[in-house]
């Protein structure tokens, strides 16, 4: 599953990149404010290159991701996508389903594809492409809130998750895509608090979202 998810995400990003103007490539990406669109594309290619070559010292650190950008800063988008295509088969093959519950190329690309589309004002991709990662990140949220009072979360399709224990129970109804983005630290505390909570959430519940920590800057929300 991960191999196919990554391959199709890579194809979508490649197709999108081919349509971008120079001005669009220089846009700042709100979810990753240190990077422009071009720099985020460089990071995606750099991740794949390092996964294939085994260059994983400091993996996931700021220094590791910054090197991806630094080494490809002068490359055109065409050159970036050509490099991604050259290593793509090997990068696909590096993924196994056992990696689903840990850091992997597929979830990184799904996350950053959404970053790009939100930065460019584009609609989000279909649910089938990100649904598996919603289930994974909701497990993380459950661990974060294991000592909280009971929280029941229901998305727009009626899928439910339970966190914490005891009474009284808080009910949260939220869009599945928005839950995923919040779990990936792509929604602010203010945006999370504005969801449909009954009764109002505790501070612990609000701060439970975000595998990369909480954030305070509101993010663009794409059309379904």
């Amino acid at each position: 599953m991960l191999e196919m998810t990554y391959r199709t995400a890579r194809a979508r990003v490649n197709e999108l990149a081919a349509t971008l103007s120079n001005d669009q490539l220089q846009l700042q990406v709100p979810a990753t404010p240190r990077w422009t669109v071009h720099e985020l594309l460089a990071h995606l290619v750099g991740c794949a290159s390092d996964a294939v070559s085994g260059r994983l010292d400091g993996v996931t650190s700021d220094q590791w991701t910054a090197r991806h950008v630094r080494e490809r800063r002068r490359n055109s988008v065409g050159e970036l996508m050509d490099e991604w295509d050259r290593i793509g088969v090997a990068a696909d093959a590096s993924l196994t389903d056992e990696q689903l519950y840990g850091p992997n190329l597929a979830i990184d690309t799904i996350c950053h594809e959404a970053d790009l589309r939100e930065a460019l004002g584009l609609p989000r991709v279909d649910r089938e492409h990100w649904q598996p990662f919603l289930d994974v990140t909701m497990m993380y949220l459950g661990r974060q809130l294991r000592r909280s009072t009971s929280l029941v979360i229901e998305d727009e399709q009626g899928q439910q998750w339970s966190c914490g224990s005891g009474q009284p129970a808080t009910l949260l109804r939220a869009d599945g895509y928005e839950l995923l983005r919040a779990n990936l630290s792509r929604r602010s505390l203010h945006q999370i608090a504005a969801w449909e909570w009954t009764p109002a959430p505790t501070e612990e519940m609000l701060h439970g979202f975000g595998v990369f920590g909480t954030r305070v800057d509101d993010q663009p929300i794409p059309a379904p």
Side-chain angles (χ1 to χ4, degrees):
M1 181 200 76
L2 279 184
E3 179 180 352
M4 178 60 70
T5 299
Y6 179 61
R7 183 184 302 122
T8 56
R10 185 161 52 81
R12 290 193 305 272
V13 173
N14 200 318
E15 183 178 359
L16 174 59
T19 70
L20 300 178
S21 68
N22 287 333
D23 286 345
Q24 287 174 311
L25 290 169
Q26 296 309 311
L27 286 174
Q28 294 291 312
V29 179
T32 59
R34 293 174 300 165
W35 289 341
T36 63
V37 168
H38 181 276
E39 289 167 336
L40 183 47
L41 293 172
H43 161 64
L44 287 172
V45 178
C47 275
S49 176
D50 282 2
V52 169
S53 66
R55 194 179 179 187
L56 301 176
D57 289 344
V59 63
T60 73
S61 68
D62 289 346
Q63 294 79 7
W64 186 71
T65 58
R67 176 173 53 75
H68 301 155
V69 175
R70 185 174 63 253
E71 291 177 345
R72 295 167 177 81
R73 192 178 301 279
R74 298 186 181 279
N75 293 12
S76 69
V77 169
E79 290 169 334
L80 290 175
M81 296 301 104
D82 284 346
E83 180 184 359
W84 212 3
D85 285 342
R86 286 195 303 273
I87 61 178
V89 173
D92 296 345
S94 73
L95 287 164
T96 64
D97 286 352
E98 287 72 23
Q99 297 170 275
L100 179 62
Y101 295 93
N104 61 73
L105 288 174
I107 192 169
D108 187 65
T109 303
I110 289 291
C111 178
H112 287 315
E113 178 188 18
D115 294 344
L116 290 170
R117 297 185 70 84
E118 289 175 9
L120 294 163
L122 300 174
R124 65 200 194 192
V125 299
D126 292 339
R127 185 180 181 120
E128 63 185 284
H129 300 301
W130 48 262
Q131 171 68 54
F133 303 115
L134 173 59
D135 295 329
V136 170
T137 60
M138 291 303 285
M139 288 182 61
Y140 172 85
L141 179 65
R143 291 198 297 269
Q144 288 292 98
L145 296 179
R146 62 189 180 278
R147 295 187 177 88
S148 81
T149 56
S150 182
L151 171 63
V152 177
I153 302 170
E154 182 177 295
D155 73 5
E156 79 284 5
Q157 294 191 352
Q159 188 171 3
Q160 288 191 347
W161 301 267
S162 295
C163 307
S165 61
Q167 296 295 327
T170 298
L171 174 64
L172 167 62
R173 290 191 174 93
D175 180 86
Y177 176 86
E178 290 300 299
L179 288 169
L180 175 65
R181 296 298 282 163
N183 284 333
L184 294 172
S185 299
R186 263 58 183 183
R187 293 296 180 262
S188 70
L189 291 173
H190 174 263
Q191 288 174 309
I192 295 169
W195 291 345
E196 186 181 344
W197 298 84
T198 309
T202 65
E203 286 295 313
E204 182 179 13
M205 290 173 183
L206 295 178
H207 285 269
F209 289 88
V211 296
F212 305 112
T214 56
R215 68 186 309 152
V216 297
D217 53 324
D218 287 352
Q219 295 293 298
I221 299 177

